[in-house]
Amino acid sequence: DTEVTQTPKHLVMGMTNKKSLKCEQHMGHRAMYWYKQKAKKPPELMFVYSYEKLSINESVPSRFSPECPNSSLLNLHLHALQPEDSALYLCASSQDAGFLYEQYFGPGTRLTVT
Amino acid sequence: RKEVEQDPGPFNVPEGATVAFNCTYSNSASQSFFWYRQDCRKEPKLLMSVYSSGNEDGRFTAQLNRASQYISLLIRDSKLSDSATYLCVCNTGTASKLTFGTGTRLQVTL
């Protein structure tokens, strides 16, 4: 079973709100990722967690704050977002970090910032 | 030059046709390669991994040419359900960073 789940499916938030996106996998994968995808563009990597530690931050603004409470869960905390942050946010996981491992994506959270 | 380049298409083909997509990558250090398909407003789904010279899975064949730095995907006997965007993806080094192409759109028609 290669399932990654994400909640919520859709989120509308104002620029002063604080919200969180959640991602869960039960495949025993030790690497988890956050991507952002705008319409008609490929996914862009935001963060990589390996063994629950942040290993890559692709110079993401601090209004996005990732958290990995345990090996199955990944959160993305959102605060003071801008309308241009509206996008599909995808979570992915892989068995381990490293070039051999395939990444499996969750269905995404479609975020609209008003 | 983009790290991963694909023809955006669209490729419009009739059902039953054979269609091929090419993808070129610029980083000679890339060590593994993937094809994902993405349906409109859905997540990317892994279609095939390409670790050596090539890989075949049913109607789908992926080939890698390291000397020329390109990857291809061949779809035989196209079906309506194959209509999607196909993303060529390279993984560089140990950092697990995936570099995505912009995708090639396929539309299979009756």
Side-chain angles (χ1 to χ4, degrees):
Chain A
D1 184 13
T2 55
E3 188 178 72
V4 177
T5 59
Q6 290 187 242
T7 55
K9 284 193 168 70
H10 301 275
L11 179 61
V12 180
M13 59 186 289
M15 290 189 283
T16 58
N17 292 157
K18 285 185 183 180
K19 296 285 185 185
S20 296
L21 310 184
K22 296 187 185 304
C23 174
E24 190 167 8
Q25 56 87 13
H26 292 290
M27 296 177 279
H29 287 179
R30 304 314 301 260
M32 295 184 77
Y33 312 79
W34 280 115
Y35 287 85
K36 172 182 176 181
Q37 187 175 24
K38 303 279 271 184
K40 299 189 190 301
K41 298 286 187 184
E44 296 174 13
L45 182 66
M46 300 174 72
F47 302 103
V48 180
Y49 273 82
S50 177
Y51 290 82
E52 301 166 44
K53 291 192 182 337
L54 182 65
S55 61
I56 295 178
N57 176 342
E58 289 284 290
S59 303
V60 179
S62 59
R63 59 185 183 270
F64 296 91
S65 174
E67 178 197 19
C68 189
N70 61 54
S71 60
S72 301
L73 289 173
L74 188 65
N75 297 324
L76 186 63
H77 303 297
L78 313 173
H79 173 55
L81 294 193
Q82 305 296 310
E84 60 265 28
D85 296 322
S86 299
L88 179 67
Y89 287 84
L90 294 159
C91 174
S93 71
S94 62
Q95 185 179 335
D96 204 333
F99 64 88
L100 286 177
Y101 301 99
E102 299 146 343
Q103 294 185 20
Y104 297 92
F105 286 83
T109 293
R110 193 161 296 279
L111 174 68
T112 302
V113 182
T114 59
Chain B
R1 184 184 171 190
K2 289 182 185 174
E3 289 193 73
V4 180
E5 291 205 63
Q6 296 182 252
D7 181 342
F11 283 59
N12 293 301
V13 303
E15 238 186 337
T18 295
V19 63
F21 309 135
N22 286 329
C23 165
T24 57
Y25 61 96
S26 61
N27 190 337
S28 59
S30 294
Q31 301 191 57
S32 55
F33 308 88
F34 308 92
W35 284 101
Y36 282 78
R37 70 168 278 167
Q38 187 169 26
D39 295 281
C40 189
R41 298 177 70 81
K42 300 283 190 182
E43 75 274 24
K45 287 190 189 293
L46 181 67
L47 183 65
M48 298 185 76
S49 306
V50 190
Y51 292 120
S52 56
S53 61
N55 196 12
E56 184 171 330
D57 183 4
R59 297 183 294 110
F60 299 85
T61 301
Q63 291 196 311
L64 167 64
N65 184 319
R66 287 189 187 273
S68 302
Q69 294 184 208
Y70 80 80
I71 312 127
S72 63
L73 178 68
L74 183 77
I75 305 176
R76 289 180 295 277
D77 189 22
S78 298
K79 304 197 182 302
L80 293 175
S81 58
D82 293 334
S83 299
T85 295
Y86 290 83
L87 297 165
C88 174
V89 186
C90 303
N91 182 308
T92 303
T94 59
S96 291
K97 183 175 175 180
L98 288 184
T99 302
F100 285 78
T102 50
T104 297
R105 189 160 157 244
L106 172 66
Q107 184 68 50
V108 182
T109 56
L110 287 170

